[in-house]
Coordinates of all heavy atoms in Angstrom, one line a residue:
M29 N -18.5 -6.9 -11.4 CA -17.2 -7.4 -11.2 C -17.1 -8.1 -9.8 O -17.6 -7.6 -8.9 CB -16.2 -6.3 -11.3 CG -14.9 -6.7 -11.9 SD -13.8 -5.2 -12.3 CE -14.6 -4.7 -13.8
K30 N -16.4 -9.2 -9.7 CA -16.3 -9.9 -8.4 C -14.9 -9.8 -7.9 O -13.9 -9.8 -8.6 CB -16.7 -11.3 -8.6 CG -18.1 -11.5 -9.1 CD -18.4 -12.9 -9.4 CE -19.8 -13.1 -10.0 NZ -20.1 -14.5 -10.4
D31 N -14.8 -9.9 -6.6 CA -13.5 -10.1 -5.9 C -13.1 -11.5 -6.2 O -13.9 -12.4 -6.4 CB -13.6 -9.9 -4.4 CG -13.8 -8.5 -4.0 OD1 -13.7 -7.6 -4.9 OD2 -14.0 -8.2 -2.9
G32 N -11.8 -11.7 -6.3 CA -11.3 -13.1 -6.5 C -9.9 -13.2 -6.2 O -9.3 -12.3 -5.6
T33 N -9.4 -14.4 -6.5 CA -8.0 -14.6 -6.1 C -7.2 -15.2 -7.3 O -7.7 -16.0 -8.0 CB -7.9 -15.6 -4.9 OG1 -8.6 -16.7 -5.2 CG2 -8.6 -14.9 -3.7
Q34 N -6.0 -14.8 -7.4 CA -5.1 -15.3 -8.4 C -3.7 -15.1 -7.9 O -3.4 -14.3 -7.0 CB -5.3 -14.6 -9.7 CG -6.4 -15.1 -10.5 CD -6.4 -14.6 -11.9 OE1 -5.5 -14.0 -12.4 NE2 -7.4 -14.9 -12.7
S35 N -2.7 -15.7 -8.5 CA -1.3 -15.5 -8.2 C -0.9 -14.1 -8.5 O -1.4 -13.5 -9.4 CB -0.4 -16.5 -8.9 OG -0.4 -16.2 -10.2
S36 N 0.0 -13.6 -7.7 CA 0.5 -12.3 -8.0 C 1.3 -12.2 -9.3 O 1.7 -11.2 -9.8 CB 1.3 -11.8 -6.8 OG 2.5 -12.6 -6.7
G37 N 1.7 -13.4 -9.8 CA 2.5 -13.5 -11.0 C 3.9 -13.2 -10.6 O 4.2 -12.7 -9.5
S38 N 4.8 -13.4 -11.5 CA 6.2 -13.0 -11.3 C 6.6 -12.0 -12.3 O 7.4 -12.4 -13.2 CB 7.1 -14.2 -11.3 OG 6.4 -15.4 -11.6
L39 N 6.1 -10.9 -12.2 CA 6.4 -9.8 -13.2 C 7.8 -9.2 -13.0 O 8.3 -8.6 -13.8 CB 5.3 -8.8 -13.1 CG 3.9 -9.3 -13.4 CD1 2.9 -8.2 -13.2 CD2 3.8 -9.8 -14.8
G40 N 8.3 -9.4 -11.8 CA 9.7 -8.9 -11.5 C 9.7 -7.4 -11.5 O 10.8 -6.8 -11.6
N41 N 8.6 -6.8 -11.2 CA 8.6 -5.3 -11.2 C 8.4 -4.8 -9.8 O 8.1 -5.6 -8.9 CB 7.4 -4.9 -12.1 CG 7.7 -5.3 -13.5 OD1 8.8 -5.1 -14.0 ND2 6.7 -5.8 -14.1
P42 N 8.6 -3.6 -9.6 CA 8.5 -3.0 -8.2 C 7.2 -3.4 -7.6 O 6.1 -3.2 -8.2 CB 8.6 -1.5 -8.4 CG 9.1 -1.3 -9.8 CD 8.7 -2.5 -10.6
P43 N 7.2 -3.8 -6.3 CA 5.9 -4.1 -5.7 C 5.2 -2.9 -5.3 O 5.8 -1.8 -5.0 CB 6.4 -4.9 -4.4 CG 7.8 -4.4 -4.1 CD 8.3 -4.1 -5.5
T44 N 3.9 -2.9 -5.3 CA 3.1 -1.8 -4.8 C 3.2 -1.9 -3.3 O 3.7 -2.8 -2.7 CB 1.6 -2.0 -5.2 OG1 1.1 -3.1 -4.6 CG2 1.5 -2.1 -6.7
K45 N 2.6 -0.9 -2.6 CA 2.6 -0.9 -1.2 C 1.8 -2.1 -0.6 O 1.9 -2.4 0.5 CB 2.0 0.4 -0.7 CG 2.5 0.8 0.7 CD 2.4 2.2 1.0 CE 3.1 2.5 2.3 NZ 3.3 4.0 2.5
H46 N 1.0 -2.6 -1.5 CA 0.2 -3.8 -1.1 C 1.0 -5.1 -1.2 O 0.5 -6.1 -0.9 CB -1.1 -4.0 -2.0 CG -1.7 -2.7 -2.4 ND1 -2.4 -1.9 -1.5 CD2 -1.7 -2.0 -3.5 CE1 -2.8 -0.8 -2.1 NE2 -2.4 -0.9 -3.4
G47 N 2.2 -5.0 -1.7 CA 3.1 -6.1 -1.9 C 2.8 -6.9 -3.2 O 3.2 -8.0 -3.4
T48 N 2.1 -6.2 -4.1 CA 1.9 -6.9 -5.4 C 2.7 -6.2 -6.5 O 3.0 -5.1 -6.4 CB 0.4 -6.8 -5.7 OG1 0.0 -5.4 -5.8 CG2 -0.5 -7.5 -4.7
P49 N 3.0 -7.0 -7.5 CA 3.8 -6.5 -8.6 C 3.0 -5.5 -9.5 O 1.8 -5.6 -9.6 CB 4.2 -7.7 -9.4 CG 3.1 -8.7 -9.2 CD 2.6 -8.4 -7.8
M50 N 3.7 -4.6 -10.1 CA 3.1 -3.7 -11.0 C 3.9 -3.7 -12.3 O 5.1 -3.5 -12.3 CB 3.0 -2.3 -10.4 CG 2.4 -1.3 -11.3 SD 2.4 0.4 -10.6 CE 1.2 0.2 -9.3
P51 N 3.3 -4.0 -13.4 CA 4.0 -4.0 -14.7 C 4.7 -2.7 -15.0 O 4.1 -1.7 -14.7 CB 3.0 -4.4 -15.7 CG 1.8 -5.0 -15.0 CD 1.9 -4.3 -13.6
E52 N 5.9 -2.7 -15.5 CA 6.5 -1.5 -15.8 C 5.7 -0.6 -16.7 O 5.8 0.6 -16.7 CB 7.9 -1.7 -16.4 CG 8.9 -2.3 -15.4 CD 10.2 -2.7 -16.0 OE1 10.6 -2.1 -17.0 OE2 10.9 -3.5 -15.4
T53 N 4.9 -1.2 -17.6 CA 4.1 -0.4 -18.5 C 3.1 0.4 -17.7 O 2.6 1.4 -18.3 CB 3.4 -1.3 -19.5 OG1 2.7 -2.3 -18.8 CG2 4.3 -2.0 -20.5
H54 N 2.7 0.0 -16.5 CA 1.8 0.7 -15.7 C 2.4 1.6 -14.7 O 1.7 2.4 -14.1 CB 0.9 -0.3 -15.0 CG 0.1 -1.2 -15.9 ND1 -0.4 -0.9 -17.1 CD2 -0.3 -2.5 -15.7 CE1 -1.0 -1.9 -17.6 NE2 -0.9 -2.9 -16.8
F55 N 3.7 1.4 -14.5 CA 4.4 2.1 -13.4 C 4.8 3.5 -13.9 O 5.6 3.7 -14.7 CB 5.6 1.3 -13.0 CG 6.3 1.9 -11.8 CD1 5.9 1.5 -10.5 CD2 7.5 2.6 -11.9 CE1 6.5 2.0 -9.4 CE2 8.1 3.1 -10.8 CZ 7.6 2.8 -9.5
T56 N 4.1 4.5 -13.3 CA 4.5 5.9 -13.7 C 4.5 6.7 -12.4 O 4.1 6.3 -11.4 CB 3.4 6.5 -14.6 OG1 2.2 6.8 -13.8 CG2 3.1 5.6 -15.8
K57 N 5.1 7.9 -12.5 CA 5.2 8.8 -11.4 C 4.1 9.8 -11.3 O 4.2 10.8 -10.7 CB 6.6 9.5 -11.4 CG 7.7 8.5 -11.0 CD 9.0 9.3 -10.8 CE 10.1 8.4 -10.2 NZ 11.3 9.2 -9.9
S58 N 3.1 9.5 -12.1 CA 2.0 10.5 -12.0 C 0.7 9.7 -11.8 O 0.5 8.6 -12.4 CB 1.9 11.3 -13.3 OG 1.7 10.5 -14.4
P59 N -0.3 10.3 -11.1 CA -1.5 9.6 -10.9 C -2.4 9.7 -12.2 O -2.1 10.5 -13.0 CB -2.2 10.4 -9.7 CG -1.6 11.7 -9.8 CD -0.2 11.5 -10.4
L60 N -3.4 8.9 -12.2 CA -4.4 9.0 -13.3 C -5.6 9.7 -12.8 O -6.2 9.3 -11.8 CB -4.8 7.6 -13.8 CG -5.9 7.5 -14.8 CD1 -5.4 8.1 -16.2 CD2 -6.4 6.1 -15.0
A61 N -5.9 10.9 -13.4 CA -7.1 11.6 -13.1 C -8.2 11.0 -13.9 O -8.1 11.0 -15.1 CB -6.9 13.1 -13.3
V62 N -9.3 10.6 -13.3 CA -10.4 10.1 -14.0 C -11.7 10.4 -13.3 O -11.8 10.4 -12.1 CB -10.3 8.5 -14.2 CG1 -10.2 7.8 -12.8 CG2 -11.4 7.9 -15.0
E63 N -12.7 10.8 -14.1 CA -14.0 11.1 -13.6 C -14.8 9.9 -13.5 O -15.0 9.2 -14.5 CB -14.7 12.2 -14.4 CG -16.0 12.6 -13.8 CD -16.6 13.8 -14.6 OE1 -17.3 13.5 -15.6 OE2 -16.5 14.9 -14.2
L64 N -15.3 9.5 -12.3 CA -16.0 8.3 -12.1 C -17.4 8.6 -11.6 O -17.6 9.6 -10.9 CB -15.3 7.4 -11.1 CG -13.9 6.9 -11.5 CD1 -13.3 6.1 -10.3 CD2 -14.0 6.0 -12.7
E65 N -18.4 7.8 -12.0 CA -19.7 7.9 -11.5 C -19.8 7.4 -10.0 O -18.9 6.7 -9.5 CB -20.6 7.0 -12.3 CG -20.7 7.3 -13.8 CD -21.4 8.6 -14.0 OE1 -22.3 9.0 -13.2 OE2 -21.1 9.3 -15.0
A66 N -20.8 7.9 -9.3 CA -21.0 7.4 -8.0 C -21.2 5.9 -8.0 O -21.8 5.4 -9.0 CB -22.3 8.1 -7.4
G67 N -20.8 5.2 -7.0 CA -21.0 3.8 -6.9 C -19.7 3.0 -6.5 O -18.8 3.6 -6.0
T68 N -19.7 1.7 -6.8 CA -18.6 0.9 -6.4 C -17.7 0.7 -7.6 O -18.1 0.4 -8.7 CB -19.2 -0.5 -5.9 OG1 -20.1 -0.3 -4.9 CG2 -18.0 -1.4 -5.5
H69 N -16.4 0.8 -7.3 CA -15.4 0.6 -8.3 C -14.3 -0.3 -7.7 O -14.2 -0.5 -6.5 CB -14.7 2.0 -8.6 CG -15.8 3.0 -9.1 ND1 -16.2 3.1 -10.4 CD2 -16.5 3.9 -8.4 CE1 -17.1 4.0 -10.5 NE2 -17.3 4.6 -9.3
Y70 N -13.6 -0.9 -8.7 CA -12.5 -1.9 -8.3 C -11.2 -1.5 -9.0 O -11.1 -1.5 -10.2 CB -12.9 -3.3 -8.7 CG -14.2 -3.8 -8.0 CD1 -15.4 -3.5 -8.5 CD2 -14.1 -4.5 -6.8 CE1 -16.6 -3.9 -7.8 CE2 -15.2 -4.9 -6.1 CZ -16.5 -4.6 -6.6 OH -17.6 -5.0 -5.9
A71 N -10.2 -1.3 -8.1 CA -8.9 -0.9 -8.7 C -8.0 -2.2 -8.7 O -8.1 -3.0 -7.8 CB -8.2 0.1 -7.7
C72 N -7.3 -2.4 -9.8 CA -6.4 -3.5 -10.0 C -5.3 -3.5 -9.0 O -4.6 -2.5 -8.8 CB -5.9 -3.5 -11.4 SG -4.7 -4.9 -11.8
T73 N -5.0 -4.6 -8.4 CA -3.8 -4.7 -7.5 C -2.9 -5.8 -8.0 O -1.8 -6.0 -7.5 CB -4.2 -5.1 -6.0 OG1 -4.9 -6.4 -6.1 CG2 -5.1 -4.1 -5.4
C74 N -3.2 -6.5 -9.1 CA -2.4 -7.6 -9.6 C -1.5 -7.1 -10.7 O -0.5 -7.7 -11.0 CB -3.2 -8.8 -10.0 SG -4.0 -8.6 -11.6
G75 N -1.8 -6.0 -11.3 CA -1.0 -5.5 -12.4 C -1.3 -6.1 -13.8 O -0.6 -5.8 -14.7
K76 N -2.2 -7.0 -13.8 CA -2.5 -7.8 -15.1 C -3.6 -7.2 -15.9 O -3.8 -7.7 -17.0 CB -2.7 -9.3 -14.8 CG -1.6 -10.0 -14.1 CD -1.9 -11.4 -13.8 CE -0.7 -12.1 -13.2 NZ -1.1 -13.5 -12.8
S77 N -4.4 -6.3 -15.3 CA -5.6 -5.8 -16.0 C -5.2 -5.1 -17.3 O -4.4 -4.2 -17.3 CB -6.4 -4.9 -15.1 OG -7.5 -4.4 -15.7
A78 N -6.0 -5.4 -18.3 CA -5.8 -4.6 -19.6 C -6.5 -3.2 -19.4 O -6.3 -2.4 -20.3 CB -6.5 -5.4 -20.7
K79 N -7.3 -3.1 -18.3 CA -7.9 -1.8 -18.1 C -7.3 -1.1 -16.9 O -7.9 -0.2 -16.3 CB -9.4 -2.0 -17.8 CG -10.2 -2.6 -19.0 CD -11.6 -2.8 -18.7 CE -12.4 -3.3 -19.9 NZ -13.8 -3.5 -19.6
F80 N -6.0 -1.4 -16.6 CA -5.3 -0.8 -15.5 C -5.5 0.7 -15.5 O -5.3 1.3 -16.6 CB -3.8 -1.2 -15.5 CG -3.1 -0.9 -14.3 CD1 -3.0 -1.8 -13.3 CD2 -2.4 0.3 -14.1 CE1 -2.4 -1.5 -12.1 CE2 -1.8 0.6 -13.0 CZ -1.7 -0.3 -11.9
P81 N -5.8 1.3 -14.4 CA -5.7 0.9 -13.0 C -7.0 0.2 -12.5 O -7.2 0.0 -11.3 CB -5.4 2.1 -12.2 CG -6.0 3.2 -13.0 CD -5.9 2.8 -14.4
F82 N -7.9 -0.1 -13.4 CA -9.2 -0.8 -13.0 C -9.1 -2.3 -13.2 O -8.4 -2.7 -14.2 CB -10.4 -0.2 -13.8 CG -10.5 1.3 -13.5 CD1 -10.1 2.2 -14.5 CD2 -11.1 1.7 -12.4 CE1 -10.3 3.5 -14.3 CE2 -11.2 3.1 -12.1 CZ -10.8 4.0 -13.1
C83 N -9.7 -3.0 -12.4 CA -9.7 -4.5 -12.5 C -10.6 -4.9 -13.7 O -11.6 -4.3 -13.9 CB -10.3 -5.0 -11.2 SG -10.6 -6.8 -11.2
D84 N -10.1 -5.9 -14.4 CA -10.9 -6.5 -15.5 C -11.1 -8.0 -15.3 O -11.5 -8.7 -16.2 CB -10.2 -6.2 -16.8 CG -8.9 -7.0 -17.0 OD1 -8.5 -7.7 -16.1 OD2 -8.4 -7.0 -18.2
G85 N -10.8 -8.5 -14.1 CA -11.0 -9.9 -13.7 C -9.8 -10.7 -14.0 O -9.8 -11.9 -13.7
S86 N -8.7 -10.2 -14.6 CA -7.5 -11.0 -14.9 C -6.8 -11.5 -13.7 O -6.0 -12.4 -13.8 CB -6.5 -10.1 -15.7 OG -7.1 -9.7 -16.9
H87 N -7.1 -11.1 -12.5 CA -6.5 -11.5 -11.3 C -7.0 -12.9 -10.9 O -6.3 -13.6 -10.1 CB -6.8 -10.6 -10.1 CG -8.2 -10.5 -9.8 ND1 -9.1 -9.6 -10.4 CD2 -9.0 -11.3 -9.0 CE1 -10.3 -9.8 -10.0 NE2 -10.3 -10.8 -9.1
K88 N -8.1 -13.4 -11.5 CA -8.7 -14.7 -11.0 C -7.7 -15.8 -11.1 O -6.9 -16.0 -12.0 CB -9.9 -15.0 -11.9 CG -11.0 -14.0 -11.6 CD -12.3 -14.3 -12.3 CE -13.3 -13.2 -11.9 NZ -14.4 -13.2 -12.9
G89 N -7.6 -16.5 -9.9 CA -6.7 -17.6 -9.8 C -5.3 -17.2 -9.2 O -4.5 -18.1 -9.0
S90 N -5.1 -15.9 -9.0 CA -3.8 -15.4 -8.5 C -3.7 -15.4 -7.0 O -2.6 -15.2 -6.5 CB -3.5 -14.0 -9.1 OG -4.4 -13.1 -8.4
G91 N -4.8 -15.4 -6.3 CA -4.8 -15.2 -4.8 C -4.9 -13.8 -4.5 O -4.9 -13.4 -3.3
L92 N -5.0 -12.9 -5.4 CA -5.1 -11.5 -5.2 C -6.5 -11.0 -5.5 O -7.3 -11.7 -6.2 CB -4.2 -10.7 -6.1 CG -2.7 -10.9 -5.8 CD1 -1.8 -10.2 -6.8 CD2 -2.3 -10.5 -4.4
A93 N -6.9 -9.9 -5.0 CA -8.2 -9.3 -5.2 C -8.1 -7.9 -5.5 O -7.2 -7.2 -5.0 CB -9.1 -9.6 -4.0
P94 N -9.0 -7.3 -6.3 CA -9.0 -5.9 -6.5 C -9.3 -5.1 -5.3 O -9.9 -5.6 -4.3 CB -10.0 -5.7 -7.6 CG -11.0 -6.8 -7.4 CD -10.2 -8.0 -6.9
K95 N -8.9 -3.8 -5.3 CA -9.2 -2.9 -4.2 C -10.5 -2.2 -4.5 O -10.6 -1.5 -5.4 CB -8.1 -1.9 -4.0 CG -8.3 -0.9 -3.0 CD -7.8 -1.3 -1.6 CE -7.8 -0.2 -0.6 NZ -7.4 -0.7 0.7
K96 N -11.5 -2.5 -3.6 CA -12.8 -2.0 -3.8 C -12.9 -0.6 -3.2 O -12.4 -0.4 -2.1 CB -13.8 -2.9 -3.1 CG -15.3 -2.5 -3.2 CD -16.1 -3.5 -2.5 CE -17.6 -3.1 -2.4 NZ -18.4 -4.0 -1.6
F97 N -13.5 0.3 -3.9 CA -13.8 1.6 -3.3 C -15.1 2.2 -3.7 O -15.6 1.8 -4.8 CB -12.6 2.6 -3.6 CG -12.4 3.0 -5.0 CD1 -12.9 4.1 -5.6 CD2 -11.7 2.1 -5.9 CE1 -12.7 4.5 -6.9 CE2 -11.5 2.5 -7.2 CZ -12.0 3.6 -7.7
E98 N -15.7 3.0 -2.9 CA -17.0 3.6 -3.1 C -16.9 5.1 -3.3 O -16.2 5.7 -2.6 CB -17.9 3.3 -1.9 CG -17.9 1.8 -1.5 CD -19.0 1.0 -2.1 OE1 -19.8 1.6 -2.8 OE2 -18.9 -0.2 -2.0
L99 N -17.7 5.6 -4.2 CA -17.9 7.0 -4.3 C -19.3 7.4 -4.1 O -20.2 6.8 -4.6 CB -17.4 7.5 -5.7 CG -16.0 7.3 -6.1 CD1 -15.7 7.7 -7.6 CD2 -15.1 8.0 -5.2
D100 N -19.5 8.4 -3.3 CA -20.9 8.9 -3.0 C -21.5 9.7 -4.1 O -22.7 9.9 -4.1 CB -20.9 9.7 -1.7 CG -20.5 8.9 -0.5 OD1 -20.6 7.6 -0.5 OD2 -20.0 9.5 0.5
E101 N -20.6 10.3 -4.9 CA -21.1 11.1 -6.0 C -20.1 11.0 -7.1 O -19.0 10.6 -7.0 CB -21.2 12.6 -5.5 CG -19.8 13.1 -5.0 CD -19.9 14.5 -4.3 OE1 -21.0 14.9 -4.0 OE2 -18.9 15.1 -4.2
K102 N -20.6 11.5 -8.3 CA -19.7 11.5 -9.5 C -18.6 12.6 -9.2 O -18.9 13.7 -8.8 CB -20.5 12.0 -10.7 CG -19.7 12.1 -11.9 CD -20.6 12.5 -13.1 CE -19.9 12.5 -14.4 NZ -20.8 12.8 -15.5
K103 N -17.4 12.2 -9.4 CA -16.3 13.1 -9.2 C -15.0 12.6 -9.8 O -14.9 11.5 -10.2 CB -16.1 13.3 -7.7 CG -15.6 12.2 -6.9 CD -15.1 12.6 -5.5 CE -15.4 11.7 -4.4 NZ -14.9 12.2 -3.2
T104 N -14.1 13.5 -9.9 CA -12.7 13.2 -10.4 C -11.9 12.7 -9.3 O -11.8 13.3 -8.2 CB -12.1 14.4 -11.1 OG1 -12.9 14.8 -12.2 CG2 -10.7 14.1 -11.6
V105 N -11.3 11.5 -9.5 CA -10.4 11.0 -8.5 C -9.0 10.8 -9.1 O -8.9 10.8 -10.4 CB -10.9 9.6 -8.0 CG1 -12.2 9.8 -7.2 CG2 -11.0 8.6 -9.1
Y106 N -8.0 10.8 -8.3 CA -6.6 10.6 -8.8 C -6.1 9.3 -8.3 O -5.9 9.1 -7.1 CB -5.7 11.8 -8.3 CG -6.2 13.1 -8.9 CD1 -7.2 13.8 -8.3 CD2 -5.7 13.6 -10.0 CE1 -7.7 15.0 -8.8 CE2 -6.1 14.7 -10.6 CZ -7.1 15.5 -10.0 OH -7.6 16.6 -10.6
L107 N -5.9 8.3 -9.2 CA -5.6 7.0 -8.8 C -4.1 6.8 -8.9 O -3.4 7.2 -9.9 CB -6.3 6.0 -9.8 CG -7.8 6.0 -9.7 CD1 -8.4 5.1 -10.8 CD2 -8.3 5.6 -8.3
C108 N -3.5 6.1 -7.9 CA -2.1 5.9 -7.8 C -1.6 5.0 -8.9 O -2.2 4.0 -9.2 CB -1.8 5.2 -6.4 SG -0.1 4.7 -6.3
R109 N -0.5 5.4 -9.5 CA 0.1 4.5 -10.5 C 1.6 4.3 -10.2 O 2.3 3.8 -11.1 CB 0.0 5.1 -12.0 CG -1.5 5.0 -12.4 CD -1.6 5.4 -13.9 NE -1.2 6.8 -14.1 CZ -1.2 7.3 -15.3 NH1 -1.5 6.6 -16.4 NH2 -0.8 8.6 -15.5
C110 N 2.0 4.8 -9.1 CA 3.4 4.6 -8.7 C 3.6 3.4 -7.8 O 4.6 2.8 -7.6 CB 4.1 5.8 -8.0 SG 3.6 6.1 -6.3
G111 N 2.4 2.9 -7.2 CA 2.4 1.8 -6.3 C 2.9 2.0 -4.9 O 3.1 1.1 -4.1
K112 N 3.1 3.3 -4.5 CA 3.6 3.6 -3.2 C 2.6 4.4 -2.3 O 3.0 4.7 -1.2 CB 4.9 4.4 -3.4 CG 6.0 3.8 -4.3 CD 6.5 2.6 -3.7 CE 7.6 2.0 -4.5 NZ 8.0 0.7 -4.2
S113 N 1.5 4.7 -2.8 CA 0.5 5.5 -2.0 C 0.1 4.8 -0.7 O -0.1 3.6 -0.7 CB -0.7 5.7 -2.8 OG -1.7 6.4 -2.0
G114 N 0.1 5.5 0.3 CA -0.4 5.0 1.6 C -1.9 5.1 1.7 O -2.5 4.7 2.7
N115 N -2.6 5.6 0.6 CA -4.0 5.7 0.6 C -4.6 5.1 -0.6 O -5.5 5.6 -1.3 CB -4.4 7.2 0.7 CG -5.9 7.4 0.8 OD1 -6.6 6.6 1.5 ND2 -6.4 8.4 0.3
A116 N -4.0 3.9 -1.1 CA -4.4 3.3 -2.3 C -5.9 2.9 -2.2 O -6.4 2.6 -1.2 CB -3.6 2.0 -2.5
P117 N -6.6 3.0 -3.3 CA -6.0 3.2 -4.7 C -5.8 4.7 -5.1 O -5.5 4.9 -6.2 CB -7.1 2.6 -5.6 CG -8.4 2.9 -4.9 CD -8.0 2.8 -3.4
F118 N -6.0 5.6 -4.1 CA -5.9 7.0 -4.4 C -4.4 7.5 -4.3 O -3.7 7.0 -3.4 CB -6.8 7.8 -3.5 CG -8.2 7.3 -3.6 CD1 -8.8 6.6 -2.6 CD2 -9.0 7.6 -4.8 CE1 -10.1 6.2 -2.7 CE2 -10.3 7.1 -4.9 CZ -10.8 6.4 -3.8
C119 N -4.1 8.4 -5.1 CA -2.8 9.1 -5.0 C -2.7 9.9 -3.7 O -3.6 10.5 -3.3 CB -2.6 10.0 -6.2 SG -1.1 11.0 -6.1
D120 N -1.5 9.8 -3.0 CA -1.3 10.6 -1.8 C -0.1 11.5 -2.0 O 0.4 12.1 -1.0 CB -1.2 9.7 -0.5 CG 0.1 8.9 -0.5 OD1 0.8 8.9 -1.5 OD2 0.3 8.3 0.5
G121 N 0.4 11.6 -3.2 CA 1.6 12.4 -3.5 C 2.9 11.8 -3.3 O 4.0 12.4 -3.5
T122 N 2.9 10.5 -2.8 CA 4.2 9.8 -2.6 C 5.0 9.7 -3.8 O 6.2 9.6 -3.8 CB 3.9 8.4 -2.0 OG1 3.1 8.6 -0.8 CG2 5.2 7.7 -1.7
H123 N 4.4 9.7 -5.0 CA 5.1 9.5 -6.3 C 6.2 10.6 -6.5 O 7.2 10.4 -7.2 CB 4.2 9.5 -7.5 CG 3.4 10.8 -7.6 ND1 2.2 11.1 -7.0 CD2 3.7 11.9 -8.3 CE1 1.8 12.3 -7.3 NE2 2.7 12.8 -8.1
K124 N 6.0 11.7 -5.8 CA 6.9 12.8 -6.0 C 8.3 12.4 -5.5 O 9.3 12.9 -5.9 CB 6.4 14.1 -5.3 CG 5.2 14.6 -5.9 CD 4.6 15.8 -5.1 CE 3.3 16.2 -5.7 NZ 2.5 17.1 -4.9
A125 N 8.3 11.5 -4.5 CA 9.6 11.0 -3.9 C 10.0 9.6 -4.5 O 11.1 9.2 -4.2 CB 9.5 10.9 -2.4
A126 N 9.1 9.0 -5.3 CA 9.4 7.7 -5.9 C 10.5 7.7 -6.9 O 10.7 8.6 -7.6 CB 8.1 7.0 -6.4
Ligands
LIG225 S1 -6.9 -7.1 -9.5 FE1 -5.8 -7.0 -11.4 S2 -7.3 -7.6 -12.8 FE2 -8.3 -7.7 -11.0

């Protein structure tokens, strides 16, 4: 998967802390717990990915890029789906006040 750029779109939904829109279908007050392999992963920041919260390349041409993160080992991570985490793409508990 490559970094790229596309428009943020005009989804009219609450912006994430990154200033990008998030489709209401993706906006929840709970993180997604997912077990991931060690390596490089890309979290969607445009809200258009069919594999949200992971990037599927749908951001291309938007001017946005996915949030790249690395894991040293296979583990369960909690990915932000409220768009307010200060530690994106990971949940920091902010959704409890969202
Ligand atoms: S950042 Fe959303 S599809 Fe890539």
